[in-house]
Amino acid sequence: MRDVSLGAMAESDDTNLSAESSGADRDLFDKVVNLSKRRGIVFPSAEIYGGFRSTYDYGPVGVLMLRNVKEAWWRSMVQMRTDVVGLDAAILSPPAVWEASGHLANFSDPLVDCRNCGARHRLDKLDDPVVCPTCDARGQFTEPRQFNLMFQTHAGPVQGAGHEVYLRPETAQGMFINFANVLYTSRKKPPFGIAQIGKSFRNEITPGNFVFRTREFEQMELEFFVPPAEAQRWYEYWCDARLNWYLDHGIAPEKLRLRAHDADELSHYSSDTSDVEFLFPWGWDELEGIANRGDYDLTQHAAHSGEKLEYYDQANNERYVPHVIEPAAGATRTMMAFLMAAYDEELVNDDIRHVLRLHHRIAPYKVAVLPLSKKAELVGPCHDLFEMLAARWMVDYDETQAIGKRYRRQDEIGTPYCVTFDFDSLEDHAVTVRDRDSMEQVRLPIAELVDWLGERLT
Ligand code: ATP
């Protein structure tokens, strides 16, 4: 059953922009998708077998960028805080977890099929609930069916009752079911948080728009446990902090906004939810949701597991179930937003220069080492230079083609600095450093290079 429906959905995947996007935006979208393929950022998965649409592989450059997105999140959410600890929970989990969380009963989207063209759509995402966006037919939809988004599989060689397991559709439940373990081993007390980055899986009805919505993706989630009376204050705190994280990492303010959910959008357990939204080529859309989830999650797991999931506040001799504030972001979706926000073109000497103006922390490589020519007398010292810099940063090394072409290639993958070693370098022990954004070049003694770069690559 699942294979059949997956196949049908793959056919109807919307990997391009919706019709109402403007030409300029469509252009940006296509350019970023093409650049991603051309420069080893993101490849369509299983391409040699015709592709498996809406599934993507991260290439040699993309894997670095995705790691940097996750590292930047971890740095500000875990490394720089005394009140958050990390976790790496299992992807496979038994039905009991999803029964307690409500996912088995409720984690579904309304699905409709168009009788005219056979396309399948998510009813709640349609601009007009009676018009098929694929063929424009009106009133041809089947009755909506609730489609559970969780991928089910079987543990062990025997299939059947008692052997079902689920691939997690979010990382959050790992934090809730480990609440007591973390509380006792980390000696934290509310307000404190548990953070996790990892893969999640959802059998999306309409994946598409490149890596914006895929069936396999990565999330970066924090569950922040607070005394109930402090929940509102922490909710506001995390809304601000999370919006600022994107601004601090170089996305322009006019491309970001915080949108509070209307009452009819809220889940039954959430008193407040806001989305950080990015201006994607098709319009404003979600990057991250920040929700005040009350005590729903811990109460549910306590009731289903029979374990006490609460905090004993010794100072006030009071026992309570902490409330949860959850900032939940997508790593892969955020990477796409960084790509869209950073893409730039400018005319240089009658030629168009494509440049990714990425924040240094997000840029895949921080430095490129380029010998002016492939001659052995330059290549040898360049390898030493590479080793010196690679001990500190991710460094690319490239000796192919003319130097101008190599600069342009580094611009396209957002490398902040290129270091060129030429024949003079053999004599003066200095190199030329070129800045990605201004294209300005300075000559620097090799002995000063690490400090010079260190001051700039914070
Ligand atoms: P949407 O409304 O876009 O389906 P959601 O509200 O269901 O998203 P959450 O459950 O809040 O999403 O997940 C937190 C974050 O995980 C989202 O803001 C998004 O960045 C990311 N995310 C969710 N689903 C996907 C997906 N299918 N592909 C890529 N990223 C996703």
Side-chain angles (χ1 to χ4, degrees):
M1 230 356 233
R2 174 160 296 115
D3 283 343
V4 172
S5 58
L6 262 178
M9 280 186 264
E11 287 307 303
S12 67
D13 278 354
D14 164 28
T15 42
N16 272 314
L17 292 184
S18 54
E20 68 272 18
S21 315
S22 76
D25 292 340
R26 176 177 289 270
D27 215 33
L28 170 68
F29 181 85
D30 290 344
K31 282 174 178 166
V32 169
V33 173
N34 290 339
L35 175 79
S36 296
K37 175 84 195 297
R38 192 169 72 244
R39 290 299 180 205
I41 301 173
V42 178
F43 302 128
S45 201
E47 209 180 6
I48 62 167
Y49 292 104
F52 181 34
R53 285 175 75 186
S54 92
T55 308
Y56 293 91
D57 298 336
Y58 292 77
V61 174
V63 66
L64 300 177
M65 184 171 170
L66 184 57
R67 283 172 69 127
N68 292 343
V69 170
K70 294 185 282 185
E71 261 308 306
W73 185 90
W74 189 266
R75 183 178 182 278
S76 72
M77 303 298 271
V78 184
Q79 184 181 331
M80 300 295 288
R81 302 188 66 101
T82 55
D83 56 359
V84 177
V85 291
L87 182 78
D88 192 355
I91 286 174
L92 292 176
S93 36
V97 171
W98 307 108
E99 180 123 23
S101 69
H103 281 76
L104 272 179
N106 300 320
F107 195 59
S108 51
D109 284 335
L111 175 154
V112 288
D113 290 309
C114 174
R115 291 194 187 90
N116 188 46
C117 70
R120 191 164 278 178
H121 298 286
R122 204 173 132 178
L123 183 62
D124 59 328
K125 293 280 177 187
L126 290 176
D127 291 332
D128 183 333
V130 296
V131 176
C132 173
T134 308
C135 71
D136 290 333
R138 175 171 279 276
Q140 290 300 315
F141 286 140
T142 54
E143 281 301 304
R145 283 182 290 140
Q146 286 303 323
F147 176 74
N148 194 294
L149 300 183
M150 283 200 294
F151 280 101
Q152 194 193 42
T153 186
H154 300 274
V158 185
Q159 293 196 7
H163 297 273
E164 312 88 52
V165 290
Y166 291 90
L167 301 188
R168 65 182 178 196
E170 59 175 32
T171 63
Q173 300 307 319
M175 277 80 103
F176 299 132
I177 62 179
N178 279 292
F179 171 77
N181 282 339
V182 174
L183 187 66
Y184 298 131
T185 54
S186 67
R187 290 177 294 132
K188 297 288 174 198
K189 57 181 190 174
F192 85 104
I194 311 178
Q196 177 168 209
I197 298 175
K199 287 241 169 165
S200 294
F201 303 82
R202 296 182 188 179
N203 201 356
E204 297 280 3
I205 296 168
T206 46
N209 284 341
F210 195 38
V211 298
F212 179 82
R213 188 182 304 286
T214 48
R215 297 200 175 100
E216 175 181 345
F217 56 99
E218 281 197 87
Q219 289 189 305
M220 311 183 286
E221 296 193 289
L222 170 71
E223 306 305 327
F224 200 72
F225 301 95
V226 300
E230 295 177 22
Q232 183 60 24
R233 181 166 77 75
W234 280 109
Y235 167 71
E236 287 162 20
Y237 167 90
W238 280 113
C239 284
D240 275 2
R242 291 308 305 151
L243 181 66
N244 284 332
W245 184 84
Y246 295 94
L247 293 167
D248 292 347
H249 288 87
I251 299 187
E254 61 273 18
K255 297 231 158 187
L256 283 172
R257 72 178 188 191
L258 196 65
R259 186 185 68 82
H261 280 206
D262 296 333
D264 61 354
E265 287 178 86
L266 292 173
S267 2
H268 63 94
Y269 48 79
S270 170
S271 54
D272 277 299
T273 298
S274 290
D275 289 345
V276 177
E277 294 188 334
F278 176 73
L279 190 53
F280 282 97
W282 57 90
W284 291 101
D285 219 330
E286 176 180 336
L287 274 184
E288 164 162 2
I290 300 116
N292 181 347
R293 301 175 63 92
D295 64 2
Y296 174 78
D297 308 281
L298 292 181
T299 305
Q300 284 290 108
H301 283 297
H304 282 75
S305 66
E307 296 288 326
K308 274 207 172 83
L309 299 178
E310 49 190 32
Y311 176 69
Y312 174 58
D313 177 358
Q314 230 163 1
N316 297 313
N317 189 25
E318 166 191 35
R319 203 172 275 286
Y320 64 86
V321 178
H323 284 204
V324 169
I325 310 301
E326 177 193 75
T332 37
R333 194 179 280 187
T334 296
M335 173 170 155
M336 177 175 170
F338 279 129
L339 284 171
M340 297 278 167
Y343 185 88
D344 196 14
E345 290 179 353
E346 61 183 6
L347 205 58
V348 179
N349 302 332
D350 295 334
D351 202 19
I352 294 177
R353 179 172 91 110
H354 306 117
V355 53
L356 284 184
R357 299 191 192 276
L358 290 168
H359 187 280
H360 290 177
R361 204 170 275 147
I362 304 298
Y365 293 103
K366 312 306 173 198
V367 187
V369 171
L370 313 172
L372 189 65
S373 98
K374 267 194 229 172
K375 293 222 164 70
E377 56 196 302
L378 298 191
V379 167
C382 262
H383 279 294
D384 296 341
L385 196 58
F386 172 85
E387 275 180 23
M388 178 178 86
L389 299 176
R392 286 277 303 266
W393 299 286
M394 196 70 214
V395 180
D396 197 8
Y397 173 82
D398 188 3
E399 58 180 37
T400 59
Q401 296 186 309
I403 190 74
K405 284 206 165 142
R406 281 183 273 164
Y407 282 152
R408 292 301 165 81
R409 178 181 176 276
Q410 294 299 332
D411 290 341
E412 282 199 329
I413 59 173
T415 308
Y417 296 104
C418 288
V419 174
T420 304
F421 190 96
D422 55 27
F423 291 97
D424 289 343
S425 306
L426 293 169
E427 306 299 326
D428 66 1
H429 305 290
V431 283
T432 301
V433 183
R434 174 186 178 272
D435 180 284
R436 173 196 72 197
D437 294 328
S438 65
M439 293 186 291
E440 273 170 21
Q441 303 191 3
V442 288
R443 191 82 182 164
L444 281 180
I446 292 173
E448 290 174 20
L449 192 56
V450 169
D451 284 350
W452 190 92
L453 289 168
E455 278 165 26
R456 286 153 182 86
L457 292 168
T458 46

